[in-house]
């Protein structure tokens, strides 16, 4: 039943003991002062967002009286930017005036120094590469030199032999002890006993060796034949003047030189070859192992003799440190047989003449040795 007054509804402000127009009290709101009406808009408290500003009103300062870093109203500070009032840490990249990042506190890298350092490292790398290439080239060159020395070692034997010790000390008779002088017992210091002995070593065979000294005559007379010298050749590679394996035998005994000459008559053509060694022992060993022949030396002034070496006549003979070879064929290129004695006679005569010339050379060496 009503008495004309509206009954208060439970749960309203009056029912809760709070007058109308008074903001509610609770967590985040300060309590109102007793006996004073609320003034102004409610103030924000801890954990409660500030009220929104109305039209024409300035929003309150952000996060007054709260905890934690200040916050921008409605946004997050740009990256790498300090908070208001905070100093940037050393080396921090800060947004510049025109948008470009700048380094603070002078920590910007020294670009010139970095470029110089890069250039220096590049130069050092280049020097190391060039040094490595030079080292490889030096090693390769050294290998070539060693191989060349081994291949050309044969030239060492071309040097003139050293003469044996002098026997003048023993000849003077000044040896007070009466014991034999070492030089008097040396074979190099003794007087040659024969022309062949004089040609047994280079120390006593000192005359020049050449085509002219070994083949001094321009023509030879043999059993009614006149043979004229038509071709000559010299080579310090003994194998160059040989065929059928003779060169290997000669070079194994360190042959020094080979000299060739061809004498021609109307019936025969004979090539004579003289091979030079350092000693008689080498010549004797080579003769004991002889295989093959010297080549027939031809020219535009000689017939084409010995086209087939099996149809030619051959001979060889050692004398001192020399060997004398002959290769003979018929002037018309036919085979040498018992029916063509002129060719065999010519070959024997040319060989004998070469040996006689060597004997004369040895006799002169004996005379010079005194």
């Amino acid at each position: 039943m009503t008495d004309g007054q509206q009954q208060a509804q439970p749960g309203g402000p009056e029912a809760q003991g709070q007058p109308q127009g008074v903001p509610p009290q609770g967590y985040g709101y300060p309590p109102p002062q007793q006996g004073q009406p609320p003034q102004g808009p409610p103030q924000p408290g801890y954990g409660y967002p500030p009220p929104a500003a109305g039209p024409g009103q300035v929003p309150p300062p952000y996060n007054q009286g709260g905890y934690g870093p200040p916050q921008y109203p409605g946004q997050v500070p740009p990256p790498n930017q300090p908070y208001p009032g905070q100093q940037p840490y050393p080396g921090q990249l800060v947004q510049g005036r025109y948008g470009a990042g700048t380094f603070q506190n002078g920590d910007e890298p020294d670009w010139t120094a970095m470029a110089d350092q890069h250039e220096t490292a590049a130069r050092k790398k280049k020097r190391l590469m060039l040094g490595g290439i030079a080292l490889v080239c030096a090693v390769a060159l050294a290998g070539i030199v060693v191989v060349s020395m081994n291949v050309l070692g044969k030239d060492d034997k071309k040097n003139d032999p050293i003469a044996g010790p002098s026997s003048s000390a023993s000849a003077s008779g000044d040896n007070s002890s009466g014991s034999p002088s070492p030089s008097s017992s040396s074979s190099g210091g003794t007087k040659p006993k024969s022309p062949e002995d004089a040609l047994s070593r280079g120390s006593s065979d000192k005359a020049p060796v050449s085509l002219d000294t070994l083949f001094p005559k321009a023509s030879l007379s043999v059993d009614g034949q006149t043979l004229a010298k038509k071709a000559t050749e010299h080579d310090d590679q003994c194998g160059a003047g040989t065929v059928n394996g003779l060169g290997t035998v000669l070079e194994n005994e360190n042959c020094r030189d080979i000299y060739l000459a061809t004498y021609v008559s109307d019936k025969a053509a004979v090539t004579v070859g003289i091979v030079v060694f350092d000693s008689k022992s080498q010549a004797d060993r080579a003769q004991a192992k002889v295989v093959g022949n010297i080549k027939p030396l031809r020219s535009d002034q000689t017939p084409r003799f010995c086209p087939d070496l099996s149809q030619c006549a051959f001979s060889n003979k050692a004398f001192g440190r020399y060997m004398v070879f002959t290769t003979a064929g018929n002037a018309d290129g036919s085979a040498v047989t018992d029916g063509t004695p002129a060719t065999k006679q010519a070959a024997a005569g040319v060989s004998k003449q070469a040996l006689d010339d060597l004997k004369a050379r040895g006799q002169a060496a004996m005379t010079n040795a005194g």
Side-chain angles (χ1 to χ4, degrees):
M1 189 175 169
T2 62
D3 55 0
Q5 293 181 351
Q6 195 175 22
Q7 189 175 357
Q9 297 293 326
E14 294 82 0
Q16 297 177 0
Q18 293 181 359
Q20 291 184 357
V22 179
Q25 299 181 21
Y27 180 77
Y29 282 90
Q33 298 291 331
Q34 296 292 331
Q36 295 183 1
Q39 297 178 359
Q43 298 299 319
Y46 175 77
Y48 202 89
Q57 294 181 350
V58 179
Y62 56 87
N63 202 24
Q64 279 188 340
Y67 292 92
Q71 300 295 324
Y72 288 87
Q75 64 178 352
V76 180
N80 295 325
Q81 298 300 311
Y83 292 102
Q86 177 184 3
Q87 293 296 325
Y89 57 81
Q92 181 180 5
L93 185 64
V94 181
Q95 189 74 17
R97 177 179 180 183
Y98 300 102
T102 58
F103 288 89
Q104 298 296 318
N105 301 328
D107 289 333
E108 180 178 2
D110 189 342
W111 303 110
T112 302
M114 291 176 66
D116 292 342
Q117 183 179 6
H118 177 74
E119 184 177 357
T120 301
R123 285 198 301 266
K124 182 177 180 181
K125 182 178 180 181
K126 183 177 181 181
R127 286 196 299 268
L128 291 175
M129 291 179 62
L130 293 177
I133 294 173
L135 179 60
V136 171
C137 293
V139 172
L141 181 60
I144 293 173
V145 171
V146 171
V147 172
S148 300
M149 291 178 65
N150 290 335
V151 172
L152 301 178
K154 181 177 180 293
D155 291 342
D156 293 343
K157 64 185 179 60
K158 302 298 180 183
N159 298 328
D160 291 335
I162 300 175
S166 173
S167 60
S168 60
S170 61
S172 64
D174 293 337
N175 190 346
S176 58
S177 65
S179 60
S181 171
S183 61
S184 65
S185 61
S186 171
S187 61
T190 59
K191 182 179 179 180
K193 299 177 180 180
S194 66
E196 184 175 12
D197 187 33
L199 300 185
S200 296
R201 66 194 68 87
S203 59
S204 56
D205 180 21
K206 299 180 180 179
V209 180
S210 67
L211 288 168
D212 292 335
T213 59
L214 295 178
F215 311 116
K217 296 184 178 180
S219 64
L220 304 174
S221 295
V222 179
D223 293 334
Q225 297 183 71
T226 299
L227 295 102
K229 186 168 57 176
K230 296 296 185 180
T232 58
E233 182 179 284
H234 163 249
D235 204 311
D236 60 0
Q237 302 294 320
C238 294
T242 65
V243 292
N244 298 334
L246 178 60
T248 301
V249 174
L250 301 179
E251 290 177 353
N252 286 344
E253 294 298 336
N254 295 324
C255 165
R256 291 171 60 96
D257 297 273
I258 185 169
Y259 297 85
L260 302 175
T262 296
Y263 289 84
V264 179
S265 71
D266 59 344
K267 297 179 180 180
V270 181
T271 296
V272 56
I274 298 180
V275 177
V276 186
F277 296 91
D278 287 325
S279 68
K280 183 180 185 302
S281 61
Q282 292 172 318
D284 291 342
R285 287 195 300 267
Q287 185 180 25
K289 303 174 184 177
V290 163
V291 294
N293 321 97
I294 62 170
K295 69 180 183 180
L297 178 63
R298 307 184 187 100
S299 72
D300 56 357
Q301 297 182 6
T302 67
R304 191 175 183 276
F305 66 105
C306 290
D308 184 353
L309 290 177
S310 65
Q311 299 177 353
C312 297
F314 308 96
S315 69
N316 62 82
K317 172 72 173 178
F319 186 83
R321 66 188 187 116
Y322 300 89
M323 282 194 71
V324 178
F325 295 85
T326 60
T327 295
N330 294 331
D332 61 3
S334 61
V336 177
T337 65
D338 293 339
T340 56
T343 299
K344 292 183 178 182
Q345 292 171 357
V350 171
S351 177
K352 181 178 181 301
Q353 184 62 56
L355 290 169
D356 288 345
D357 291 337
L358 288 175
K359 290 176 182 178
R361 179 186 178 91
Q363 186 65 48
M366 288 180 64
T367 302
N368 293 334

